[in-house]
Amino acid sequence: MASTAELERIVSQVRRDIVRQVHAVNSGHPGGSLGCAEYFVSLYFEIMKHNPSNFTMDGKNEDLFFLSNGHISPVFYSVLARSGYFPVAELATFRKLNSRLQGHPTTHEGLPGVRVASGSLGQGMSVAIGAALAKKLNKDTSIVYTLHGDGELQEGQIWEAAMYASAKKVDNLISTVDMNGQQIDGSTDQVLPMGSLRAKFEAFGWDVMDLEKGNEMGSVVATLKKAKEHTGKGKPVMILMKTEMGNGVDFMMGSHKWHGVAPNDEQLAQALNQNAETLGDY
Amino acid sequence: MKKYTFTEKKDTRSGFGAGLSELGKSNPNVVALCADLTGSLKMDAFAKDHPERFFQIGIAEANMIGIAAGLTIGGKIPFTGTFANFSTGRVYDQIRQSVAYSGKNVKICASHAGLTLGEDGATHQILEDLGLMKMLPGMVVINPCDFNQTKAATIAIASHEGPVYLRFGRPTVPNFTPADQKFEIGKAVMLNEGTDVTIFATGHLVWKAIEAGEQLAAQGISAEIINIHTIKPLDNTAVINSAKKTRCVVTAEEHQMNGGLGDSIAQLLARELPTPIEMVAVNDSFGESGTPDQLMTKYGLDAVNIVEAVNKVLKRK
Ligand SMILES: Cc1ncc(C[n+]2csc(CCOP(=O)(O)OP(=O)(O)O)c2C)c(N)n1
Ligand SMILES: [Mg+2]
């Protein structure tokens, strides 16, 4: 069991990894990545039962994670590397020619820790349901996790999957929505207001939990632990996680503008100043 | 001309159902998914015998493809079933990202392909599916010709590691290939050795090619007839060897000319052995309502059209 302080130290390094990856190639998605840093660190360093040093596609008797909003690959790659799936130095290859760290995550180059390609939004929940069903057939009692963007929920396939998961009692599934309220063209309320997502997922038969403070490590860990206790009870579990896009870098917070823009040299220096190097930069 | 006979006409989709049933018994990793067309796809026997391995997804094809991709993680071999239109165009991006690019061992099984779906009309008569699927890197594309071959193909693809598109249809057609045939993915089947022209046919057009061969023999023309059940990977050697011998080629398929079998063969021959070629296929048009036979006649996919194409290509030799 890691302490909250220890996990927060990892988050600080992960934030540095995110902005440095994106800065180096002047492309990528820092905003959503930063907002989900606490979630990823809790999942990979505290919550999931997994085996980073010996990655297998099937992940038998391991918990599995699927990133449906593949554009936040910088946080995914940082946490995979920092938890031991591949050398941290490889983060320097992000989005470069011949890299395993493609712009959006993929299995194609064989990067350990990735089990399906994502990037085209809306597909991850279906894939996770399939993996959860395979676990049930294999009498494997581990859990399948997914993460989605809130804008991503505008895709119809999400709701096909949500309807299926509850109807067929896929109760070894914990999905989380990154409720940062932002997408590319503006806030989700400007682009396409989605009303009450709690009411919608409840109506779709899910066990819904609110995580009001998705950037507070203690709350994230506690909610994920609670969610785990809610599995195996006949319903898929949904965590509606409120976060701040760009969290941890002051000038990136508060708008959709940093969804997919890289910081310049000066902005990078500022961002790094705000987040201490705790585990050593790659 | 070698004589081909049959005792029965059967639908290729039933060949799929029979193959799937057999796989259910022989391979515990095989699972099946369907989007509210279990009866049409002849998947009911599998569903009844193996309810724990059958997933009724509802009318949600995108979700079905994603779930199938996920089921491979954990060692399952998923067979998805719906109409060809909803198996390809409807879910192209899902197949592209979650199956093909992700290298997942999913078998996309598609019925009611082409015009012979009949009265439902053009909304359902996809004539672009072979092209859509063959363009995806790593995707194997198979279009067997009768019941026995579809059954054999269904069984064979379970032991191929990687994504496969298996296309079959609704109408009954002569069941003439051997019940005990060994189906080899990517291996063309020589049906008749000839010297004047080669007819490469796939799917429902294979029997029509045999009929055309008989009519041509009566005219004194010796046609080589080859069944290309696997569009991708194409049996390049078989195509080139035959074209070398006969020096002119006709292709026949129930698909658009753009993107189909003829397109693959023309591409190969243009690169390796430029050869006069005529194509029997739908020419940049949607289908319409009608009986299967009426439609095949109206859109020029009958034996007589193959004979015409042969006469035309012979003049270009
Ligand atoms: C199917 C699809 N349509 C459009 C896009 C382009 N796109 C990438 S991210 C994004 C916004 C996603 O919003 P959200 O899920 O809220 O993620 P956030 O911006 O909060 O990181 C869009 C429209 C895409 N990747 N996939
Ligand atoms: Mg968002």
Side-chain angles (χ1 to χ4, degrees), chain A residues 57-58 64 66 106-109 115-120 123 126-127 129-131 133-134 137-138 157 160-161 164 168, chain B residues 31 52-53 55-57 60-63 66-67 69-76 93-94 97-98 101-104:
Chain A
M57 180 52 74
D58 284 348
L64 308 181
F66 292 93
T106 163
T107 57
H108 197 254
E109 279 71 28
R115 290 194 166 86
V116 76
S118 57
S120 175
Q123 301 186 26
S126 303
V127 177
I129 289 170
L133 292 172
L137 284 172
N138 292 339
Q157 187 181 348
E160 295 181 6
Y164 184 91
K168 307 287 169 129
Chain B
V31 299
E52 75 296 344
R53 285 192 272 148
F55 301 97
Q56 170 58 269
I57 305 293
E61 296 78 11
N63 192 36
I67 292 178
L71 277 159
T72 66
I73 301 166
K76 305 302 161 201
D93 188 39
Q94 284 77 13
Q97 173 170 287
S98 295
Y101 185 42
S102 294
K104 297 302 184 206

Side-chain angles (χ1 to χ4, degrees), chain A residues 1-65:
Chain A
M1 293 288 124
S3 71
T4 303
E6 282 165 337
L7 294 172
E8 278 166 351
R9 272 167 53 81
I10 304 172
V11 167
S12 182
Q13 186 66 49
V14 166
R15 289 196 198 121
R16 290 176 73 89
D17 291 350
I18 293 168
V19 290
R20 292 182 70 237
Q21 286 175 81
V22 171
H23 169 263
V25 286
N26 194 27
S27 76
H29 299 80
S33 294
L34 287 165
C36 292
E38 287 82 1
Y39 168 82
F40 270 90
V41 169
S42 339
L43 207 56
Y44 277 80
F45 289 87
E46 182 68 15
I47 299 292
M48 282 204 305
K49 174 182 69 179
H50 62 133
N51 195 352
S53 58
N54 182 25
F55 173 75
T56 61
M57 180 52 74
D58 284 348
K60 213 167 160 236
N61 299 317
E62 285 181 60
D63 294 335
L64 308 181
F65 170 75

Side-chain angles (χ1 to χ4, degrees), chain B residues 73-317:
Chain B
I73 301 166
K76 305 302 161 201
I77 308 172
F79 283 63
T80 66
T82 180
F83 290 162
N85 189 21
F86 314 137
S87 292
T88 58
R90 176 91 191 187
V91 291
Y92 199 62
D93 188 39
Q94 284 77 13
I95 294 176
R96 184 175 177 276
Q97 173 170 287
S98 295
V99 177
Y101 185 42
S102 294
K104 297 302 184 206
N105 193 20
V106 174
K107 315 304 169 190
I108 300 159
C109 303
S111 184
H112 293 54
L115 294 173
T116 50
L117 161 119
E119 293 78 355
D120 274 346
T123 52
H124 287 51
Q125 289 160 344
I126 194 163
L127 293 163
E128 302 83 32
D129 55 324
L130 295 176
L132 286 170
M133 290 298 114
K134 81 178 188 184
M135 278 198 291
L136 290 171
M139 182 68 73
V140 166
V141 180
I142 297 175
N143 185 23
C145 68
D146 69 359
F147 174 97
N148 284 341
Q149 191 160 75
T150 309
K151 182 177 173 193
T154 305
I155 293 166
I157 62 176
S159 3
H160 169 87
E161 176 72 32
V164 175
Y165 178 63
L166 180 67
R167 176 202 222 220
F168 39 88
R170 176 169 183 255
T172 59
V173 293
N175 186 27
F176 72 98
T177 65
D180 61 352
Q181 70 193 277
K182 184 169 173 325
F183 188 91
E184 282 185 73
I185 295 171
K187 193 102 182 70
V189 181
M190 175 67 75
L191 291 175
N192 190 56
E193 297 201 27
T195 50
D196 296 330
V197 61
T198 308
I199 304 169
F200 294 108
T202 192
H204 291 149
L205 268 288
V206 171
W207 182 257
K208 297 198 186 250
I210 291 171
E211 290 177 336
E214 283 161 3
Q215 294 173 28
L216 289 163
Q219 297 174 22
I221 296 166
S222 161
E224 179 140 302
I225 304 172
I226 297 181
N227 172 9
I228 305 282
H229 54 56
T230 308
I231 317 291
K232 187 187 168 191
L234 188 64
D235 189 341
N236 291 358
T237 311
V239 172
I240 289 168
N241 285 347
S242 182
K244 248 183 208 151
K245 179 167 70 166
T246 63
R247 292 180 297 112
C248 68
V249 162
V250 166
T251 61
E253 63 196 302
E254 188 181 347
H255 190 271
Q256 300 287 355
M257 197 178 290
N258 276 328
L261 169 69
D263 162 308
S264 288
I265 288 182
Q267 205 186 103
L268 173 69
L269 291 177
R271 272 186 283 121
E272 303 282 338
L273 183 75
T275 306
I277 180 166
E278 291 292 331
M279 298 179 193
V280 174
V282 175
N283 191 6
D284 204 25
S285 151
F286 289 104
E288 64 184 284
S289 292
T291 68
D293 285 346
Q294 288 170 335
L295 292 165
M296 294 298 264
T297 301
K298 175 161 179 181
Y299 288 84
L301 304 185
D302 276 334
V304 54
N305 305 104
I306 300 176
V307 170
E308 270 168 26
V310 165
N311 284 317
K312 196 167 163 200
V313 84
L314 281 171
K315 294 196 188 99
R316 296 173 53 202
K317 223 168 149 172

Side-chain angles (χ1 to χ4, degrees), chain A:
Chain A
M1 293 288 124
S3 71
T4 303
E6 282 165 337
L7 294 172
E8 278 166 351
R9 272 167 53 81
I10 304 172
V11 167
S12 182
Q13 186 66 49
V14 166
R15 289 196 198 121
R16 290 176 73 89
D17 291 350
I18 293 168
V19 290
R20 292 182 70 237
Q21 286 175 81
V22 171
H23 169 263
V25 286
N26 194 27
S27 76
H29 299 80
S33 294
L34 287 165
C36 292
E38 287 82 1
Y39 168 82
F40 270 90
V41 169
S42 339
L43 207 56
Y44 277 80
F45 289 87
E46 182 68 15
I47 299 292
M48 282 204 305
K49 174 182 69 179
H50 62 133
N51 195 352
S53 58
N54 182 25
F55 173 75
T56 61
M57 180 52 74
D58 284 348
K60 213 167 160 236
N61 299 317
E62 285 181 60
D63 294 335
L64 308 181
F65 170 75
F66 292 93
L67 179 66
S68 192
N69 46 336
H71 60 278
I72 68 167
S73 54
V75 63
F76 190 24
Y77 293 152
S78 166
V79 169
L80 286 178
R82 296 285 171 188
S83 60
Y85 280 90
F86 56 84
V88 172
E90 210 170 328
L91 293 175
T93 70
F94 174 63
R95 283 185 174 239
K96 289 185 177 154
L97 196 64
N98 301 323
S99 173
R100 299 197 290 181
L101 279 62
Q102 292 288 299
H104 294 80
T106 163
T107 57
H108 197 254
E109 279 71 28
L111 186 69
V114 182
R115 290 194 166 86
V116 76
S118 57
S120 175
L121 294 166
Q123 301 186 26
M125 192 185 285
S126 303
V127 177
I129 289 170
L133 292 172
K135 285 210 177 288
K136 283 183 183 270
L137 284 172
N138 292 339
K139 310 262 179 290
D140 172 346
T141 55
S142 10
I143 295 171
V144 178
Y145 293 86
T146 66
L147 180 64
H148 308 270
D150 47 3
E152 186 191 5
L153 302 185
Q154 292 156 5
E155 284 289 352
Q157 187 181 348
I158 292 282
W159 302 96
E160 295 181 6
M163 188 183 292
Y164 184 91
S166 66
K168 307 287 169 129
K169 300 189 169 41
V170 184
D171 58 3
N172 51 346
L173 175 69
I174 301 177
S175 289
T176 297
V177 178
D178 171 22
M179 305 264 287
N180 61 14
Q182 310 290 349
Q183 51 191 108
I184 291 186
D185 281 352
S187 70
T188 50
D189 279 342
Q190 282 166 339
V191 176
L192 183 68
M194 288 177 280
S196 167
L197 286 174
R198 168 174 270 279
K200 284 189 170 65
F201 278 106
E202 276 176 353
F204 273 69
W206 286 57
D207 183 349
V208 184
M209 292 178 185
D210 290 305
L211 171 48
E212 286 298 331
K213 295 182 174 160
N215 295 119
E216 216 182 81
M217 188 52 83
S219 296
V220 179
V221 171
T223 305
L224 282 168
K225 281 189 177 156
K226 198 171 97 193
K228 235 155 76 167
E229 287 163 18
H230 283 228
T231 58
K233 301 193 191 311
K235 286 183 175 191
V237 180
M238 171 58 68
I239 301 174
L240 299 174
M241 175 174 81
K242 288 227 174 76
T243 69
E244 176 84 33
M245 184 178 262
N247 185 63
V249 177
D250 57 9
F251 60 88
M252 290 189 180
M253 294 163 70
S255 89
H256 64 277
K257 301 228 167 61
W258 289 90
H259 159 92
V261 180
N264 61 27
D265 294 350
E266 204 179 305
Q267 289 163 331
L268 174 70
Q270 237 178 303
L272 294 179
N273 262 335
Q274 296 170 25
N275 294 283
E277 183 179 349
T278 50
L279 306 176
D281 285 341
Y282 58 85

